[in-house]
Amino acid sequence: MTKTPQDPDIFRLLTEVGIIEQLARNQLERNLPDDLRMSQFAVLNHLVRLGGEWSPLRLATAFQLTKGAMTNTVQKLEARGFVKVGQDPNDGRGKLVSITEEGHAMRSLCVQRLAPLIAELSSVVPQSELKSTLPTLEKIRKHLDTNR
């Protein structure tokens, strides 16, 4: 049997990140309350993390989705009172999306429902390892984000 050469470390890291993302997404989706979808939680989480008002196009770009797909997600969140869609004062036809108090509460509930998983992972991965790994992952994310 011929031994194949080992994949480069960066490829192995990206493979692991992809698998982790899939496993984490599945766990998260099983724990989301009130028929909230992963795409909807992701927008709420994004708005909480980065704050401010975002145009649907800017959100679509951040998530690498079509504007139509993002508009659909935003409309569902707006119908549930989790985001507010208002006029862009700098663009008469433009819209701006911001998170509401109900949206903050829903995002908090989602994070709370993930507490058992977070606690379990925290017992497996020491804080010191997380602190040393995060800067590397952030550097990769920033590079990929700016070089799409």
Side-chain angles (χ1 to χ4, degrees), residues 26-80:
N26 288 337
Q27 292 259 352
L28 179 64
E29 285 177 339
R30 284 195 298 260
N31 288 290
L32 289 177
D34 302 327
D35 296 323
L36 193 72
R37 301 281 179 239
M38 181 62 195
S39 58
Q40 296 165 350
F41 170 76
V43 171
L44 294 178
N45 194 51
H46 183 83
L47 293 172
V48 167
R49 280 186 332 104
L50 300 177
E53 297 178 312
W54 290 65
S55 73
L57 179 59
R58 187 173 167 212
L59 283 169
T61 300
F63 284 91
Q64 297 187 18
L65 298 172
T66 65
K67 185 179 177 203
M70 183 53 68
T71 297
N72 185 340
T73 299
V74 167
Q75 287 173 342
K76 289 177 181 175
L77 289 169
E78 182 181 30
R80 296 181 72 177

Side-chain angles (χ1 to χ4, degrees), residues 4 15 19 29 41 45-46 50 52 58 61-62 64 73 79-81 86 88 91 94 96 106-107 110 121 129-130 147:
T4 59
T15 299
I19 294 167
E29 285 177 339
F41 170 76
N45 194 51
H46 183 83
L50 300 177
R58 187 173 167 212
T61 300
Q64 297 187 18
T73 299
R80 296 181 72 177
D88 183 344
D91 178 357
L96 291 176
M106 177 53 74
R107 190 264 186 184
C110 291
L121 291 173
E129 286 183 36
L130 283 175
N147 295 287

Side-chain angles (χ1 to χ4, degrees), residues 81-83 98-108:
F82 297 149
V83 299
S98 59
I99 192 164
T100 64
E101 287 302 315
E102 292 85 359
H104 275 280
M106 177 53 74
R107 190 264 186 184
S108 293

Side-chain angles (χ1 to χ4, degrees), residues 2 14 17-18 20-21 23 29 57 61-62 69 97 112 122 138 144:
T2 306
L14 292 174
V17 167
I20 290 166
E21 189 277 335
L23 294 169
E29 285 177 339
L57 179 59
T61 300
V97 180
Q112 181 183 1
S122 295
E138 288 169 348
L144 292 173

Side-chain angles (χ1 to χ4, degrees), residues 53 84-97:
E53 297 178 312
K84 181 182 129 200
V85 179
Q87 290 299 124
D88 183 344
N90 300 319
D91 178 357
R93 297 182 308 162
K95 305 280 186 206
L96 291 176
V97 180

